[in-house]
Amino acid sequence: MSASRAAHIVVDLGFGDAGKGTLTDWLTRRHDARLVVRFNGGAQAGHNVVTEDGRHHTFSQFGAGTFVPGVWTHLARSTVFHPLALRVEARYLAERGVPEALSRVTVSERARVITPFHQAAGRLRELARGDARHGTCGVGVGETVRDALAHPGDTVLAGDLRDAGGLVRKARAAQERLRGELEEVLRVTGSLPDAAPERAMFEDSGVSARWVEAVGTIEPLHRVVADEWLGPRLRAGTTLFEGAQGVLLDEWRGFHPHTTWSTCTFEPALSLLREHGFDGEVHRLGVLRAHATRHGEGPFPTEDASLAPSLPEPHNGADGWQGGFRVGAFDAVLGRYALDVSGGVDALAVTHLDRLSSRWPVCDAYRAALGHEDSPLVREAPGSERITALRPSTSERDLDWQARLTRALARCVPERRTLELGEDPDVRVERFLGWVEAALGARVTVASRGPTAGDKQSRG
Amino acid sequence: MGYGSYSSQAHEALIQARGTLSRQVLFRQERCHPLMDPRGVNWRESRDSEVHPTSLGIIFALDVTGSMGDIPELLARRGLPSFMRALLDAGVTDSQVLFMAVGDANSDRAPLQVGQFESNERQMDQWLTSSFLEGGGGTPGHESYELAMYFAARHTDLDCFRKRDRRGYFFMTGDERPYPFVSHAQVAALMGDGLEKDLPVQQVVDELQRAFEPFFLIPDLARRRNCERYWRELLGDRVICLEEPGDCVDVTSSLVGLCEGAIADIDALARHLEREGRDRSRRGAVIRALTPFAATLGRDGTPRPRLEDEHLPIDDATSGHQRLAPRDGR
């Protein structure tokens, strides 16, 4: 137990996949944290951690500190909870030598719950979109959030998991409600083989009871806690707040419609800390890769498929629901936008520095002809074609503005620069990080050259 | 971000009634099911009936401690129907199956649970899934297997044996050793039997073999080390080492088929498994597990040359070795 109380918030400043998992693992070990709080997103997260002895796990709902003995995970109110995926993940962890992981998880009673029907509905909608995919993970997070906004009284919350009878009723109601809403989608997807298992969820009246029975195996009475539970835990020592996805996918700040249904900035974590009257130190850490990546559909100005062969991606395949893994040059314009909308950071962590080569492509500005819908683009000078920043919307929640940003980005062509980093790997890292600090106006305090905790170095 | 694989697996089971419901859900008992409590059971009977005129009693005594719980689970999910079908295919028409769940009398709440002999899958399945998977286990290296053998030896009555002198089958799965003695205190507490003193496990095995063909199945090669030698001392060739627990059904049904003569030999078994659609590696694993025992039945498919009894040579008689081909030109 560390005497000082502190909270470290780890947030991805890109489109996700920057390496929050390995940083969370490293920070947990380094600061002897006892608790990892997940505060956004849910079961669609995939945070890879590789231990020093070579065990690899993709953390989805378990906090990425779970490999460290005695470290707990709390899924906060703002997360979306998938009870059966948690159970599947616990089985995987058991195979990786962490048999008791499930007993170290708590979930807020107010977290929304993904039912089999929400997962199936999300997948069916994506299938019905055909080529106009949004890039869902197929987990049901979006569908659950959407449904909870539309039918707040009927939402399944983690607290409901404690009462099997009531839970069956709520699940059945969700099955009926979603089947009604999906009439058109079910018609369109009728002939698609991929849709068959998802459609079956709505055709079988026994699913709810079986689901509730299966949910009983995660022992909801031990897992589900009231929100007050968190306060004393935060005061007891160091806590890691592990963000999911990335600021550029944020529901209100990302590039609509290619966003996620959750707030990916520091805000949900900060508001939890405020709520519990936390008086310790708070460290906001923004994470970026040495290059840019994007999983699935959506804008990606610096995308450059020719970089892929030199940027191997061991844990992010192109399989599943999201579509391919895309790579491109480091994008300082998007980096500045992410810092802007997330209210700044105390420090940056840059990962994948082992990938740096002597001539490293980066992007510090875009070019775009003058045109209509220019308002979201910040030009270097009036009339200049050079775009140095994106303008955040003035209100917190303006999807129309975010859609305009998406369209404006489509007109932008990145100005490619190549940094001459030299031959010595250590010099390369320092030169590149110096450039990043200047381009983004923030300090880089963690440099990561690989997947394990030993590959991380803290920096001045 | 972007990971859907756990969620994909999470709901697969819900649309097939029991594909991957968890063990706790499948085996819902929180304690020994009252009907499976061996206390005061005089006899578990396997009887002939009009429908099943030639009954054959089969006992599955399943170790349910710790990781051994996989086997009941495999049986419950897929195994039973295919076990019964395999027996029917092998010409064993009237089998009756009884399930026992074996734990550790020194630490579990329900060290022995006993079902009834049943002829149809549905009822068997009920007994199987009523057994409470305690998952505990006790003294490292030991489980109360001797209690299961004792119960089968002294508390079952089989028509196949009584009327037709055919022995039933006793299959026990496990990865540990039995205790060396059946404790009279445990037997009194669990079954209400009054024994004068502890019984050596060897004696229990002898009694069991009167009415049953006993087999002990070790679920995978890794777990042989713990217990194989000990069980071989008790049961000899009737210790069967599987290569993975999933082969349990194929191996047990093939054992019945081989012993009953419904499957002529290992080669016939290989063809049978191929017809059943087992892939090459599974067929190999089942056959490797069964070959040593099949050899004792003379059913391992090796040619058996006719041997003439020759007396060993004495004094300066020829050794008995003869050249097979005459030399050229002589």
Side-chain angles (χ1 to χ4, degrees), chain A residues 141-214:
Chain A
V141 173
E143 189 64 30
T144 304
V145 175
R146 191 199 55 72
D147 189 41
L149 291 171
H151 304 276
D154 302 325
T155 309
V156 180
L157 299 177
D160 296 326
L161 303 183
R162 294 179 293 210
D163 159 29
L167 184 59
V168 172
R169 283 192 293 280
K170 266 192 167 179
R172 287 206 177 111
Q175 188 183 27
E176 290 303 312
R177 181 170 70 242
L178 290 169
R179 189 194 298 128
E181 287 177 17
L182 290 168
E183 214 168 303
E184 177 62 14
V185 169
L186 286 165
R187 199 184 54 72
V188 173
T189 54
S191 58
L192 298 173
D194 285 350
E198 316 305 334
R199 297 162 56 87
M201 286 288 174
F202 295 101
E203 287 154 10
D204 181 344
S205 59
V207 172
S208 297
R210 290 196 290 268
W211 177 67
V212 171
E213 226 175 350

Side-chain angles (χ1 to χ4, degrees), chain B residues 210-271:
Chain B
R210 239 170 27 88
F212 288 95
E213 305 261 7
F215 291 96
F216 187 77
L217 288 84
I218 300 172
D220 59 45
L221 301 177
R223 291 189 262 187
R224 294 171 74 162
R225 276 185 327 154
N226 310 342
C227 60
E228 186 186 2
R229 172 190 271 183
Y230 189 92
W231 280 104
R232 292 240 181 253
E233 283 171 14
L234 282 176
L235 293 173
D237 293 317
R238 293 162 177 276
V239 177
I240 309 287
C241 296
L242 308 185
E243 293 180 23
E244 57 177 66
D247 295 332
C248 170
V249 172
D250 285 333
V251 166
T252 48
S253 57
S254 307
L255 277 169
V256 177
L258 285 166
C259 292
E260 295 290 308
I263 298 173
D265 60 16
I266 287 282
D267 293 336
L269 172 63
R271 290 192 294 275

Side-chain angles (χ1 to χ4, degrees), chain B residues 36-176:
Chain B
M36 295 191 76
D37 193 341
R39 188 185 314 279
V41 173
N42 279 334
W43 301 106
R44 288 286 193 235
E45 301 163 336
S46 161
R47 296 279 173 240
D48 295 346
S49 64
E50 281 183 25
V51 192
H52 298 289
T54 53
S55 65
L56 176 67
I58 297 175
I59 292 180
F60 274 96
L62 302 172
D63 182 340
V64 295
T65 55
S67 61
M68 286 302 300
D70 292 351
I71 289 191
E73 219 178 339
L74 287 163
L75 279 168
R77 282 186 211 293
R78 308 189 299 266
L80 266 184
S82 60
F83 177 76
M84 299 308 288
R85 211 180 43 243
L87 286 187
L88 283 173
D89 288 352
V92 181
T93 50
D94 300 339
S95 52
Q96 298 186 335
V97 178
L98 172 145
F99 283 106
M100 287 185 193
V102 186
D104 185 342
N106 291 320
S107 61
D108 290 347
R109 284 167 295 167
L112 184 66
Q113 302 166 68
V114 184
Q116 299 263 20
F117 282 103
E118 299 290 1
S119 304
N120 81 45
E121 274 164 45
R122 173 165 294 223
Q123 284 162 311
M124 283 177 210
D125 186 74
Q126 273 179 343
W127 289 114
L128 176 59
T129 53
S130 305
S131 63
F132 150 49
L133 292 196
E134 191 144 27
T139 330
H142 293 281
E143 303 294 350
S144 300
Y145 302 114
E146 74 290 348
L147 287 175
M149 295 193 286
Y150 170 89
F151 186 93
R154 296 209 178 177
H155 290 277
T156 59
D157 186 0
L158 311 182
D159 268 359
C160 56
F161 178 66
R162 174 192 292 274
K163 292 182 181 176
R164 290 183 291 282
D165 238 10
R166 303 290 306 262
R167 294 194 290 175
Y169 291 86
F170 177 88
F171 295 114
M172 184 144 63
T173 60
D175 59 352
E176 310 259 28

Side-chain angles (χ1 to χ4, degrees), chain A residues 44 57-58 92 210 217 322, chain B residues 1-3 6 9 14 22:
Chain A
Q44 82 282 49
H57 180 71
T58 303
Y92 276 80
R210 290 196 290 268
T217 61
Q322 274 193 283
Chain B
M1 61 147 277
Y3 201 69
Y6 304 134
Q9 291 169 51
L14 299 176
S22 86

